[in-house]
Amino acid sequence: MNDPDIIDRAAMALSAGLMLLGTVVLGVVEILAGQPYSPVQITNDAGEVVATPLIDPTLRTGLVLAGIAVLGLYAAYRLVTPMPEETAARKEVAAD
């Protein structure tokens, strides 16, 4: 197995950062903003909107999907790039 290069590290950091931002960080911001914790608008019996979430759920979902897309692009990159030859680890063995 080869060590991760700069593209490997960048893809891992970017995808993890986007997914953590969309779930953990913005979730904590929602909690700190106070109730309600619902991702949809809350209405009363008359149908009036009495509370909305602070962060739009589509923004949070978009950040998580962007992180998954980065991982998909990274996987496609790894599929099309050739594996480096490890010549130092190979030994020629005589056939019987």
Side-chain angles (χ1 to χ4, degrees):
M1 175 127 186
N2 55 358
D3 293 327
D5 60 358
I6 190 71
I7 294 175
D8 299 335
R9 292 179 195 272
M12 288 186 282
L14 182 61
S15 64
L18 286 171
M19 287 191 276
L20 286 175
L21 177 67
T23 55
V24 177
V25 174
L26 292 180
V28 169
V29 169
E30 274 297 322
I31 290 172
L32 293 176
Q35 292 196 2
Y37 303 127
S38 174
V40 295
Q41 297 176 345
I42 297 176
T43 58
N44 60 10
D45 291 335
E48 296 174 300
V49 175
V50 293
T52 58
L54 178 67
I55 308 293
D56 189 23
T58 49
L59 174 68
R60 293 180 68 183
T61 305
L63 288 171
V64 173
L65 289 176
I68 293 171
V70 167
L71 284 178
L73 290 172
Y74 171 67
Y77 162 77
R78 292 296 287 181
L79 282 174
V80 297
T81 56
M83 295 287 287
E85 294 287 329
E86 295 185 23
T87 56
R90 288 189 178 175
K91 279 181 128 179
E92 298 229 4
V93 179
D96 288 335

